Amino acid sequence: MLIGLALVLLLFFGQCARTSTPKSPEWPGDASYSLPAETLDAALECSGGAGSPDGSGRAEPVLLVHGTAVTREQNWGWGYWPALQSAGFEVCWLQLPDQATGDIQLSAEYVARAIDVMSESSDEKVDVIGHSQGGLSPRWAIKYFPSGTMVDDYVGLASPNHGSSAAERRLDQGRDCPAACWQMRPESNFITALNNGDETPGDVSYTSIFTTNDELVIPHTNSKLRGASNVVIQDVCRGRPIDHFLMAGDAVTWELAIDALTKDGGADPERLRGLTCLKLALPGATLDWPEDTGGSGAVPVEVEPALKPYAR
């Protein structure tokens, strides 16, 4: 009798242990937009104007996502925007509200919607390049929104995939911190949810390119993504003096990004030409930094934004 009771209790508690184990989120996600489609669409602009892309460009159309406290023109207008067009790509970019200082979960809605629109227009999958925080919102969109299935290549440049102690330090110093700042702390609820389970879900080729000289992503190894092609610029070109901001105009970073967009899988440094390290800026870069538009409009908040229900 006692032996039988013991077996029943063992089976019961064993079943409880199995059912209480947290599961990785299923992919693709089924998150829906909380913002009107008209609002999301107004933030998207494509190189070919209305109705583009049409799928006629080199490889898949490319979506550029800017980083924190800058405009899309400041992040991309002097480099990747003209360079990708010169290289034969169809290109689109977003202007995120408050220069991407607000809730990254909302920024991800803009990214997800842009992928929807671009894929439907071109009848192709979409490639995404994000710089700094601009690499986080696409990852969130890929993980939680149905449009994740429409992405072929993801390329993050100096993205704080596991957060940055720089955000934590800002709070420790008593400085104002907008929503995105709270979310980019290494132990934030946002970063925890983003990396829960598979960090590189789906049939997407992931590349993360970063630099040992990064002054904002601290430590720089927090840019690494499990399951991605992780490339450190200084491993390709020893001693290359590229910092966080210069990643958006660096010739080696450009070569790696183009390799990822045009070849199977993520970027492979072994495929780069031997003279790459002698180049400075990417081809077609104007190096003409747009004027400051008068501030980001960042709104300081007292706590991290709550996770959306689909991410809890």
Side-chain angles (χ1 to χ4, degrees), residues 140-294:
W140 191 270
I142 291 170
K143 181 168 188 171
Y144 289 113
F145 286 81
S147 57
T149 60
M150 305 173 193
V151 177
D152 183 34
D153 292 291
Y154 161 93
V155 180
L157 312 182
S159 295
N161 290 309
H162 291 270
S164 172
S165 63
E168 201 80 69
R169 186 183 307 160
R170 185 181 182 94
L171 285 169
D172 292 342
Q173 293 171 345
R175 300 169 63 191
D176 290 339
C177 202
C181 170
W182 283 88
Q183 291 171 316
M184 287 189 284
R185 294 171 300 134
E187 303 301 326
S188 72
N189 293 328
F190 174 85
I191 289 294
T192 300
L194 181 62
N195 294 318
N196 179 37
D198 191 354
E199 294 183 10
T200 51
D203 188 21
V204 178
S205 297
Y206 291 85
T207 297
S208 182
I209 309 171
F210 48 104
T211 172
T212 59
N213 299 320
D214 202 314
E215 71 279 24
L216 293 183
V217 180
I218 304 171
H220 71 273
T221 51
N222 277 12
S223 289
K224 292 184 69 173
L225 267 179
R226 187 170 61 248
S229 173
N230 293 293
V231 186
V232 183
I233 290 297
Q234 287 73 22
D235 287 346
V236 180
C237 298
R238 185 176 179 181
R240 192 168 183 86
I242 298 300
D243 63 9
H244 184 88
F245 295 103
L246 291 178
M247 290 284 290
D250 176 50
V252 177
T253 305
W254 163 264
E255 294 282 357
L256 289 164
I258 294 301
D259 183 79
L261 300 187
T262 58
K263 304 291 196 308
D264 290 337
D268 183 357
E270 296 298 322
R271 292 194 288 247
L272 298 190
R273 298 185 296 274
L275 296 178
T276 297
C277 294
L278 299 179
K279 300 177 182 178
L280 297 177
L282 56 83
T286 64
L287 300 181
D288 184 17
W289 183 258
E291 293 183 7
D292 191 345
T293 55

Side-chain angles (χ1 to χ4, degrees), residues 39-47 49 62-85 91-101 110 114 118 129-131 134 248 286 288-293 295-296:
T39 300
L40 300 175
D41 291 347
L44 179 66
E45 181 182 335
C46 297
S47 56
V62 181
L63 174 65
L64 297 174
V65 186
H66 67 83
T68 313
V70 293
T71 65
R72 62 190 181 191
E73 289 82 9
Q74 289 173 324
N75 206 149
W76 304 116
W78 54 279
Y80 275 69
W81 178 254
L84 283 168
Q85 292 177 65
V91 193
C92 299
W93 57 0
L94 286 166
Q95 181 54 60
L96 298 172
D98 300 324
Q99 296 184 15
T101 57
Y110 287 84
M118 292 172 63
I129 302 178
H131 180 225
T286 64
D288 184 17
W289 183 258
E291 293 183 7
D292 191 345
T293 55
S296 66

